[in-house]
Amino acid sequence: MRAPDWDVNVNADGRIMATRDSGTIGMPWVVMAAKYSRGLRVSLYRPGEDINVEGDVLGELSGNPREMGRLLRDLLGDVDVS
């Protein structure tokens, strides 16, 4: 999946992690999408926040994998990191 301004990967525990430069080295903006019920729960982490605890929930995505990918890409485009 490609999302402008975001680097998107799958981490070791299977969560989708998107990062974006915050201007501070080693402290990116992070969006995590993890399995939840029948879809994905998407959370935002500000620079320096612990990604091992629950972040600010941006929403829940459901549907087939292609639909969820599109929804996640759209959601990343809407995230305000100012």
Side-chain angles (χ1 to χ4, degrees), residues 6-80:
W6 292 90
D7 292 317
V8 181
N9 296 292
V10 178
N11 66 10
D13 56 354
R15 295 186 291 173
I16 299 169
M17 181 168 72
T19 59
R20 183 171 177 172
D21 186 27
S22 70
T24 303
I25 295 173
M27 298 180 78
W29 288 91
V30 177
V31 171
M32 298 287 274
K35 289 182 182 179
Y36 178 77
S37 186
R38 292 186 165 176
L40 298 172
R41 175 179 275 170
V42 183
S43 301
L44 173 69
Y45 298 86
R46 288 166 181 72
E49 289 185 335
D50 184 357
I51 63 171
N52 295 311
V53 298
E54 188 169 339
D56 295 332
V57 176
L58 297 176
E60 294 178 8
L61 311 178
S62 61
N64 67 47
R66 182 173 290 194
E67 289 174 23
M68 287 192 292
R70 286 184 189 137
L71 292 169
L72 180 57
R73 185 176 51 241
D74 291 345
L75 195 139
L76 288 172
D78 292 341
V79 172
D80 180 18

